[in-house]
């Protein structure tokens, strides 16, 4: 309970802000979501220089630092936090090493494997109030993740970590993600679908009504609403593709040779169309390619445009990825969008933390006692 003395000073009941640093920030999906929740993101860190423009242009309160997390110290990050705020360190390390799309066995020789260790080191050096991480579900079984959680517990963090179904949080995409929340001050938990208050969204909800374009064309009013061109054989395949069906329903003469072999016949999640009234499949960095997934438009004879992929990831329709007048590089935009934390998931993470900060009376008591300056 809040003390009578605190009740007599209403200003003491106003919690300080939660300030965050977003490691592996990419184009800013997590930062945008945290910001929409009410968290003050001060800095984004990433090794991809192409992310600098979208990150700072769309998240004007945050600065972009082009640097590897391996080369950063807690002392360097500390300057971005105010002394009178709660601190959050967010880190969504590159997930390709652990993804189900990666056919190679994860290797300690892959530098991406060790990024969680650098994240762990920064937590120990910085001692933030809160920590969050988002990654692929398969990471949960890896020793590097178990070591990460054991280290948090040794530093007196309490942990909530579960695989989250993104469709329950306003994301029109069948994306499953491992989300971790850690706190020094309370047992963290994640808002339920009902508490977050977002209904199931479908492909129709997100991209219906955009200007109709053909394969290889670009909307003159939006350079990001641009679709990749198709070869002659893929145009035939596109016409044969039906929403919810597979290439097994096509005429034999247009089926790819690799899919005619016994092993190839099991790869059904390529050359497919999305369905209007269902969520999209999990977007990859090649979502703009008809041949790499079920990324065909439900009606138009083309794959998803760059903008449509960004919308399915929850980015606002006016989110800028390249300077005005610059032509977007398809591979670069695909990488930034496909690797992003969906914006609504970032918002759910932020709201989950803020909800508990605002409803944990012991935190208010600690603030009143001036614990931040002890």
């Amino acid at each position: 309970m809040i003390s009578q003395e605190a009740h007599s000073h209403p200003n003491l009941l106003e919690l300080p802000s939660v300030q965050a640093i977003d490691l592996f920030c990419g184009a800013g999906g997590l930062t945008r979501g945290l910001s929409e929740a009410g968290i003050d993101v001060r800095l984004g860190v990433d090794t991809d220089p192409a992310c600098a423009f979208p990150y700072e242009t769309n998240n004007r309160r945050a600065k972009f630092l082009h640097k590897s997390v391996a080369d950063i110290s807690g002392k360097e990050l500390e300057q971005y936090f105010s002394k009178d705020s709660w601190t959050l360190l967010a880190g969504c390390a590159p997930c390709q090493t652990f993804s189900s799309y990666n056919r190679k066995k994860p290797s300690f020789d892959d530098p991406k494997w060790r990024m969680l260790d650098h994240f762990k080191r920064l937590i120990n050096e910085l001692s933030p109030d809160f920590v969050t991480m988002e990654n692929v579900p398969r990471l949960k079984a890896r020793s590097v993740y178990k070591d990460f959680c054991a280290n948090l517990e040794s530093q007196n963090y309490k942990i909530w970590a579960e695989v989250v179904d993104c469709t329950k949080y306003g994301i029109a995409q069948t994306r499953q993600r491992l989300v971790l929340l850690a706190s020094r001050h309370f047992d963290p938990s994640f808002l339920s679908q009902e508490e977050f208050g977002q209904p199931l969204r479908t492909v129709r909800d997100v991209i219906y009504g955009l200007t109709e374009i053909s394969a290889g064309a670009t909307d003159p009013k939006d350079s990001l609403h641009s679709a990749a061109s198709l070869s002659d054989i893929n145009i035939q395949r596109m016409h044969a593709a039906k929403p919810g069906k597979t290439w097994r329903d096509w005429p034999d003469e247009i089926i790819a040779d690799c899919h005619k072999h016994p092993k190839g016949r099991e790869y059904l999640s390529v050359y497919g169309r999305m369905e209007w009234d269902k969520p999209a499949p999990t977007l990859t960095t090649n979502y703009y390619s008809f041949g790499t997934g079920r990324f065909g438009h439900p009606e138009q004879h083309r794959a998803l445009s760059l903008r449509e992929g960004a919308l399915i990831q929850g980015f606002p329709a006016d989110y800028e990825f390249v300077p005005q007048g610059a032509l977007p590089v398809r591979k670069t935009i695909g990488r930034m969008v496909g690797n992003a934390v969906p914006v609504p998931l970032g918002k759910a993470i932020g709201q989950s933390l803020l909800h508990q900060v605002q409803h944990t009376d012991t935190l208010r008591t600690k603030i009143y006692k001036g614990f931040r300056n002890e």
Side-chain angles (χ1 to χ4, degrees), residues 30-290:
L30 176 60
T31 287
R32 183 57 175 254
L34 292 174
S35 299
E36 289 184 1
I39 288 177
D40 181 10
V41 184
R42 311 304 294 272
L43 179 73
V45 181
D46 206 278
T47 57
D48 187 352
C51 294
F53 174 82
Y55 187 84
E56 290 196 332
T57 300
N58 299 283
N59 304 286
R60 296 186 182 277
R61 288 180 60 86
K63 302 294 184 184
F64 179 85
L65 179 61
H66 177 215
K67 199 169 184 178
S68 171
V69 168
D71 299 325
I72 295 175
S73 69
K75 188 76 173 176
E76 185 176 358
L77 295 180
E78 191 175 25
Q79 63 182 307
Y80 292 94
F81 287 135
S82 302
K83 290 184 178 181
D84 60 348
S85 69
W86 301 104
T87 54
L88 165 66
L89 192 61
C92 302
C95 63
Q96 290 87 347
T97 300
F98 311 103
S99 172
S100 59
Y101 290 96
N102 184 13
R103 299 293 175 181
K104 298 179 181 179
K105 185 177 180 180
S107 169
F108 282 99
D109 296 330
D110 186 343
K112 293 177 181 177
W113 179 283
R114 309 317 313 172
M115 287 298 102
L116 269 186
D117 282 342
H118 289 295
F119 186 13
K120 177 175 69 177
R121 170 182 58 80
L122 289 172
I123 292 169
N124 293 349
E125 293 176 8
L126 196 58
S127 297
D129 294 297
F130 313 113
V131 173
T132 187
M133 180 185 69
E134 183 260 20
N135 216 294
V136 294
R138 288 178 67 179
L139 177 64
K140 200 170 185 179
R142 303 296 179 184
S143 61
V144 67
Y145 171 76
K146 294 175 182 178
D147 290 344
F148 182 84
C149 292
N151 178 74
L152 283 173
E153 290 173 339
S154 74
Q155 299 297 313
N156 298 316
Y157 286 95
K158 299 176 179 67
I159 299 172
W160 178 94
E162 297 290 344
V163 174
V164 172
D165 178 357
C166 288
T167 62
K168 295 181 178 180
Y169 293 89
I171 302 162
Q173 184 183 169
T174 56
R175 200 178 188 98
Q176 302 283 322
R177 301 299 284 185
L178 171 63
V179 174
L180 177 146
L181 302 174
S183 168
R184 287 184 179 278
H185 308 294
F186 49 73
D187 287 312
S189 62
F190 202 67
L191 292 178
S192 67
Q193 180 181 9
E194 292 72 26
E195 289 171 320
F196 188 59
Q198 289 292 326
L200 176 72
R201 303 193 77 200
T202 67
V203 171
R204 186 186 302 276
D205 294 325
V206 176
I207 70 170
Y208 187 81
L210 269 67
T211 301
E212 185 172 340
I213 57 174
S214 58
T218 299
D219 182 353
K221 295 182 179 179
D222 180 4
S223 64
L224 218 70
H225 187 31
S226 174
S229 58
L230 294 172
S231 64
D232 290 342
I233 185 64
N234 276 344
I235 290 174
Q236 294 180 57
R237 291 166 176 162
M238 191 81 244
H239 280 265
K242 305 297 180 186
K245 302 295 184 180
T246 74
W247 51 261
R248 285 185 178 177
D249 302 299
W250 297 353
D252 188 69
E253 61 269 19
I254 63 172
I255 295 175
D257 290 340
C258 62
H259 293 149
K260 295 178 181 179
H261 295 293
K263 289 184 178 180
R265 288 191 62 78
E266 302 306 314
Y267 291 90
L268 298 178
S269 59
V270 294
Y271 291 109
R273 281 190 189 268
M274 299 180 300
E275 299 177 72
W276 275 128
D277 297 315
K278 292 184 178 180
T282 301
L283 261 62
T284 67
T285 57
N286 292 314
Y287 69 84
Y288 53 82
S289 174
F290 173 51

